[in-house]
């Protein structure tokens, strides 16, 4: 039976049989028993489906992976211990020393550091480009050894909207895949595969979990990219660690995600715990309801902030005056998530005073969960920079990043009003 996405959130990925648990059970075990050594051998050779060690696969995690793959419209998914692990493995699965990749510069700071510092140590070169780069200029950045393009649907925290189709066109023109981080949009607001993306990653710690209870990440494979085009020998030539298996030949559309699991997860061990997968599934069951409320509340807050005399500027793609509003309507017609950034009149000191005066909203580093939270980047993540350096980095001294929760919006607005009054 084919389900709509709202129903997938609740029931996708798990179909209990007669007498089995109605709720996805926690299989808190590292290992599994079999009646014969022949069966175990076939599992290790990937000749049979099943579980033999939780580093590679676990029944609880498997249910969540199937649900997320259904939500994104992919052929398979692999959960990881964190969003960073998902981003790293998604790239190492097709890149090695001597290769090159392209990424937009407006991405999560942790991902930027991963690409600019750590991947360099792996021998993988990265070129950063403006998300608004023209197709002609993007084509000029592609090299003979370029293996992928990476971007975010809605960037964290700058809220730049990616023109997915533009990047997909150039990627496919050069026989390379487009990887999209869909963390802020979630598949409830945007499904990048429908616009040409080939691989999607998430930090599941954010909206997919929704309650700030468990770290996690996921990689989703569209199953659409032709990995046997000659540019990806790791997928299209024999893997001697699996008796000469050729992923594109033996795994079909699931070649990429199979290799990620049986080779990269096998060797790197960035495995999610079954307990965390259980928490993630609980969050997914209400994802469709929460994203609707997050976006409704965020739009109401953004409009209210625009009309407040203590606010200098507001950045939210859902607003009609935002520079990315048209792209947001194209890729996220149901809303642009729950994160807003805005500037408080009076500079850094006023912004910090405003935050210290909040009562309902909490000062937290995390974003994208059920509770409203705020962060002042200039005094936290970018506190070593001068005001001039902050502006150059795209972080105004008076910037407040606010993650709008699912509380009653009137309470959120009341909290904002009293805190802004004290910041004068």
């Amino acid at each position: 039976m084919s389900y709509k996405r709202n129903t997938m959130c609740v029931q996708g990925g798990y179909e209990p049989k007669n007498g089995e648990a109605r709720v996805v059970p926690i299989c808190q075990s590292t290992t599994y028993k079999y009646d014969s050594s022949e069966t175990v051998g076939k599992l290790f050779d990937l000749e049979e489906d099943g579980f033999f060690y939780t580093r590679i696969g676990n029944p609880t995690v498997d249910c969540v992976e199937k649900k997320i793959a259904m939500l994104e419209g992919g052929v398979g998914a692999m959960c990881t211990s964190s969003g960073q692990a998902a981003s790293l493995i998604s790239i190492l699965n097709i890149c090695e020393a001597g290769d090159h990749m392209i990424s937009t510069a407006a991405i999560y700071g942790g991902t930027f550091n991963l690409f600019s510092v750590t991947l360099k140590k792996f021998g993988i070169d990265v070129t950063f480009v403006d998300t608004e780069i023209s197709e002609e200029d993007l084509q000029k950045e592609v090299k003979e050894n370029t293996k992928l393009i990476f971007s975010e649907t809605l960037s964290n925290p700058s809220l730049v909207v990616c023109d997915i189709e533009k990047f997909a066109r150039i990627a496919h023109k050069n026989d390379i895949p487009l990887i999209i981080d869909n963390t802020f949009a979630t598949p409830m607001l945007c499904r990048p595969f429908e616009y040409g993306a080939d691989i999607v990653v998430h930090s599941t710690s954010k909206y997919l979990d929704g309650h700030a209870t468990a770290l996690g990440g996921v990689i989703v494979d569209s199953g659409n990219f032709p990995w046997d085009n000659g540019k990806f020998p790791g997928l299209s030539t024999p893997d001697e660690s699996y008796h000469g298996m050729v992923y594109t030949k033996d795994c079909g559309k699931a070649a990429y995600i199979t290799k990620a699991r049986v080779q990269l997860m096998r060797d790197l061990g960035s495995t999610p715990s079954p307990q965390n997968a259980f928490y993630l599934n609980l969050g997914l069951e209400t994802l469709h309801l929460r994203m609707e409320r997050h976006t409704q509340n965020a739009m109401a807050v953004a409009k209210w902030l625009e009309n407040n005399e203590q606010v200098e500027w507001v950045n939210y793609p859902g607003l009609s005056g935002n520079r990315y509003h048209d792209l947001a309507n194209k890729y996220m017609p149901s809303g642009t998530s729950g994160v807003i950034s805005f500037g408080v009149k009076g500079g850094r000191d006023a912004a910090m005073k405003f935050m210290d005066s909040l009562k309902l909203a909490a000062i937290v580093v995390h974003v994208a969960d059920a509770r409203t939270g705020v962060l002042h980047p200039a005094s936290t993540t970018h506190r070593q920079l001068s005001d001039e350096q902050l502006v150059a980095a795209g972080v105004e001294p008076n910037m407040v990043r606010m993650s709008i929760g699912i509380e009653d919006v009137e309470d959120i607005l009341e909290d904002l009003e009293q805190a802004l009054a004290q910041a004068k």
Side-chain angles (χ1 to χ4, degrees):
M1 185 173 179
S2 179
Y3 293 135
K4 300 291 191 298
R5 261 179 290 174
N6 290 357
T7 305
M8 289 179 193
C9 286
V10 183
Q11 297 209 27
Y14 177 61
E15 295 182 9
K17 298 180 178 64
N18 185 51
E20 292 184 342
R22 183 70 181 91
V23 177
V24 174
I26 303 171
C27 185
Q28 194 66 46
S29 179
T30 62
T31 191
Y32 309 87
K33 177 186 178 296
Y34 289 94
D35 293 334
S36 72
S37 56
E38 180 183 3
T39 300
V40 179
K42 288 182 178 180
L43 287 169
F44 271 88
D45 287 345
L46 307 181
E47 294 177 2
E48 286 189 9
D49 291 331
F51 305 98
F52 54 89
Y53 199 59
T54 284
R55 185 173 78 245
I56 306 297
N58 170 277
T60 308
V61 179
D62 180 65
C63 290
V64 180
E65 291 169 341
K66 288 176 179 175
K67 177 178 287 190
I68 295 174
M70 291 172 67
L71 288 170
E72 284 287 7
V75 297
M78 184 182 77
C79 285
T80 62
S81 56
S82 69
Q84 284 290 83
S87 295
L88 175 62
I89 292 175
S90 74
I91 291 163
L92 294 184
N93 201 33
I94 51 177
C95 286
E96 58 185 41
D99 285 338
H100 170 258
M101 59 172 278
I102 296 170
S103 173
T104 52
I107 54 176
Y108 167 58
T111 308
F112 189 95
N113 290 335
L114 169 65
F115 292 174
S116 63
V117 178
T118 301
L119 284 187
K120 187 180 296 184
K121 296 177 181 178
F122 280 80
I124 299 170
D125 186 32
V126 183
T127 296
F128 291 100
V129 299
D130 192 303
T131 310
E132 297 181 48
I133 189 172
S134 68
E135 292 189 36
E136 293 75 18
D137 288 340
L138 180 59
Q139 178 61 47
K140 293 175 184 177
E141 300 296 341
V142 179
K143 304 177 183 180
E144 187 176 344
N145 62 337
T146 302
K147 292 297 179 71
L148 65 95
I149 299 176
F150 184 99
S151 190
E152 295 179 353
T153 310
L154 187 60
S155 66
N156 176 13
S158 53
L159 304 181
V160 174
V161 178
C162 175
D163 188 345
I164 299 172
E165 290 184 338
K166 175 182 71 176
F167 285 94
R169 280 193 294 271
I170 297 301
H172 298 159
K173 178 181 178 181
N174 293 278
D175 299 320
I176 58 176
L178 173 63
I179 300 178
I180 291 289
D181 185 329
N182 200 33
T183 296
F184 269 14
T186 82
M188 305 316 298
L189 301 180
C190 179
R191 299 217 294 182
F193 294 155
E194 296 176 355
Y195 301 100
D198 302 290
I199 306 296
V200 158
V201 297
H202 287 267
S203 169
T204 62
S205 319
K206 309 304 189 297
Y207 285 121
L208 296 192
D209 169 284
H211 300 85
T213 56
L215 286 176
V218 70
I219 305 169
V220 189
D221 182 0
S222 71
N224 296 328
F225 191 81
W227 300 106
D228 56 356
N229 63 13
K231 288 197 171 186
F232 304 94
L235 283 151
S236 59
T237 60
D239 180 353
E240 296 308 321
S241 69
Y242 275 107
H243 311 291
M245 167 183 276
V246 178
Y247 295 104
T248 52
K249 177 182 177 182
D250 298 322
C251 306
K253 286 183 172 293
Y256 174 93
I257 203 67
T258 301
K259 178 177 181 291
R261 182 183 303 281
V262 303
Q263 189 185 87
L264 274 295
M265 185 62 81
R266 175 197 67 188
D267 296 344
L268 298 179
S270 302
T271 310
S273 73
Q275 186 80 41
N276 278 7
F278 177 81
Y279 291 141
L280 172 56
N281 186 63
L282 289 181
L284 287 168
E285 289 181 352
T286 60
L287 178 64
H288 56 302
L289 300 174
R290 288 186 289 103
M291 292 312 295
E292 183 177 331
R293 177 58 65 87
H294 280 298
T295 55
Q296 288 176 350
N297 281 359
M299 179 61 80
V301 170
K303 289 180 176 179
W304 185 90
L305 288 169
E306 273 193 318
N307 295 313
N308 189 282
E309 61 179 14
Q310 281 298 106
V311 175
E312 193 170 296
W313 54 269
V314 181
N315 179 23
Y316 185 64
L319 293 173
S320 59
N322 187 275
R323 64 186 298 176
Y324 300 109
H325 182 67
D326 290 341
L327 280 177
N329 278 344
K330 175 180 179 178
Y331 292 112
M332 293 168 280
S334 297
T336 52
S337 201
V339 180
I340 299 173
S341 62
F342 59 95
V344 180
K345 287 184 180 178
R348 182 195 295 247
D349 291 341
M352 293 176 66
K353 187 175 181 181
F354 158 75
M355 289 179 53
D356 290 343
S357 302
L358 290 166
K359 296 177 180 178
L360 180 147
I363 300 174
V364 293
V365 176
H366 195 255
V367 289
D369 68 66
R371 291 160 290 270
T372 298
V374 294
L375 186 71
H376 182 235
S379 63
T380 53
T381 56
H382 296 68
R383 68 176 298 114
Q384 289 80 19
L385 305 184
S386 67
D387 285 357
E388 292 75 18
Q389 290 172 321
L390 287 170
V391 173
V395 178
E396 296 287 342
N398 65 345
M399 175 194 285
V400 172
R401 182 188 71 185
M402 193 163 195
S403 178
I404 308 300
I406 59 174
E407 304 95 344
D408 191 300
V409 72
E410 293 299 325
D411 290 330
I412 298 173
L413 295 177
E414 184 178 338
D415 192 31
L416 286 168
E417 186 170 29
Q418 65 84 21
L420 285 169
Q422 294 186 62
K424 290 183 180 179

